[in-house]
Amino acid sequence: MTDDQRIHPLKVADDRASLISFLDYQRATLAMKCSGLTGEQLKRRAIPTSGLTLLGLVRHAASVERSWFRFVMNAEDVKPPWPGEVDGTFAEFHVEDADADKAFEVWHEECARARAVAASFNSLDDTVGFRGETISLRYVLTHMIEEYARHNGHADLLREAIDGVVGE
């Protein structure tokens, strides 16, 4: 991965700009880990002991973006883009018949909507009530950075197992 076109997080910024830049960096990292692969490679279960695939991670990211930003923070009545469970796991991880281009389209749309929802709040400390809990925008942004960082570690291993490519 020598063609790193990610915009690195801001080194001097207020809290909001810093969190948003780190989240966008993590989003770009997942995209970079998937770049240049075919649909079949993105669907490959490259680690024998795991059912994870890069495409499954992209679909999961779209679901998580939709859930936290639109459903929780914006109180939209949205359903998961890949609803249900298959054999006890979320359907987004079952990619055998999935369309890679459609998955990336949905993910990019959800990221754009998430950015708009985050921008609609005046402060990181603004909160919403959700299922008896109070949740701040700060919490959601921080959680999303953690979510992507964890799964980007998975993506590192998957990408290396698929074609030997390594990189940050």
Side-chain angles (χ1 to χ4, degrees):
M1 285 179 225
T2 58
D3 188 27
D4 184 353
Q5 297 187 17
R6 296 172 296 170
I7 297 171
H8 290 264
L10 300 171
K11 291 186 173 61
V12 177
D14 63 22
D15 287 351
R16 184 185 197 116
S18 182
L19 288 171
I20 296 224
S21 73
F22 266 95
L23 179 53
D24 280 337
Y25 182 76
Q26 292 297 327
R27 289 167 173 150
T29 298
L30 180 57
M32 184 179 77
K33 296 296 177 187
C34 296
S35 69
L37 296 177
T38 67
E40 290 309 308
Q41 287 173 310
L42 291 167
K43 294 178 189 181
R44 186 175 302 158
R45 292 180 177 178
I47 308 292
T49 57
S50 175
L52 283 179
T53 66
L54 287 169
L55 188 58
L57 292 176
V58 169
R59 287 166 44 116
H60 178 64
S63 292
V64 173
E65 294 271 2
R66 180 181 289 199
S67 176
W68 277 108
F69 287 100
R70 295 177 63 200
F71 185 65
V72 174
M73 295 305 290
N74 212 37
E76 292 180 45
D77 185 21
V78 293
K79 305 294 181 229
W82 299 279
E85 290 187 12
V86 179
D87 299 329
T89 59
F90 292 112
E92 63 251 27
F93 291 109
H94 294 272
V95 299
E96 297 80 17
D97 298 322
D99 180 317
D101 291 335
K102 181 65 176 172
F104 279 91
E105 178 183 318
V106 170
W107 178 46
H108 290 297
E109 288 172 3
E110 291 304 330
C111 290
R113 289 179 179 178
R115 286 182 192 97
V117 169
S120 74
F121 286 83
N122 292 324
S123 166
L124 292 174
D125 298 320
D126 286 350
T127 62
V128 298
F130 182 75
R131 296 183 179 165
E133 292 187 286
T134 301
I135 300 172
S136 71
L137 176 61
R138 180 186 310 276
Y139 171 83
V140 171
L141 291 171
T142 304
H143 172 71
M144 290 299 296
I145 292 165
E146 179 272 333
E147 180 84 13
Y148 273 99
R150 182 167 36 93
H151 289 310
N152 283 338
H154 299 139
D156 276 336
L157 295 172
L158 290 167
R159 179 63 188 254
E160 184 175 2
I162 289 168
D163 66 358
V165 172
V166 296
E168 288 187 33

